[in-house]
Amino acid sequence: DVKVTQSSRYLVKRTGEKVFLECVQDMDHENMFWYRQDPGLGLRLIYFSYDVKMKEKGDIPEGYSVSREKKERFSLILESASTNQTSMYLCASSLGGFAYNEQFFGPGTRLTVL
Amino acid sequence: DAKTTQPTSMDCAEGRAANLPCNHSTISGNEYVYWYRQIHSQGPQYIIHGLKNNETNEMASLIITEDRKSSTLILPHATLRDTAVYYCIPTSGTYKYIFGTGTRLKVLA
């Protein structure tokens, strides 16, 4: 079974803190994604990566950065957390080579910024 | 990317077929239709996808109309574990999924 794990299920941080959200997949997938999910807005893509050290902006990259130093790990970084970044963050991965390959999601991290 | 219209919510009796419709009248020729579901407190889970032919797997069947403007996801024998939000997602394979608000399916005992 494909497994995508995220470092925390729940996280509480203060405004201005630097926040790291970690995602690890164990299926040797080339593509990895970070989404945020908010009520009434659905899931929105923040960043994705199609290879180690490669990244592409999604629909809402402002206030976020990412890092992919190893194939299995994709980190989302909030340089200076703000209250409007309180959200559910979901990581996903998929095989490369065919853009229609299905995405496998992790359980999510619910981040609260106070 | 095509816009989608799905019912906000639906109920289905346990053991009966659940038919979830999706309208995607602006779909373009290279867009597949993907279906995912999200059970409470979990990440979305892939169910099935298709381009123009009907598809079936161990989880569900997907019926796409000939003009491709709409599709129906069928769960043949719904169980309580199928209670979830179901998303219909046309995608051109640009790594971008547009998740709308989906259909909240409640399976009733």
Side-chain angles (χ1 to χ4, degrees), chain B residues 4 23-25 44 47-48 58 70 72 77 81 83 90 93 95 103:
Chain B
T4 59
N23 181 289
H24 34 77
S25 58
I47 302 172
I48 198 166
E58 64 279 1
S70 66
T72 301
H77 305 286
R81 285 194 298 270
T83 292
Y95 303 104
T103 295

Side-chain angles (χ1 to χ4, degrees), chain A residues 53-66:
Chain A
K53 297 191 188 296
M54 307 303 290
K55 62 186 179 186
E56 291 283 343
K57 292 180 180 178
D59 297 316
I60 50 163
E62 296 79 20
Y64 303 94
S65 61
V66 291

Side-chain angles (χ1 to χ4, degrees), chain B residues 80-107:
Chain B
L80 298 177
R81 285 194 298 270
D82 293 320
T83 292
V85 178
Y86 287 77
Y87 299 98
C88 162
I89 307 168
T91 177
S92 59
T94 54
Y95 303 104
K96 283 177 67 171
Y97 283 177
I98 308 295
F99 283 83
T101 50
T103 295
R104 189 172 295 276
L105 175 70
K106 189 171 181 182
V107 180

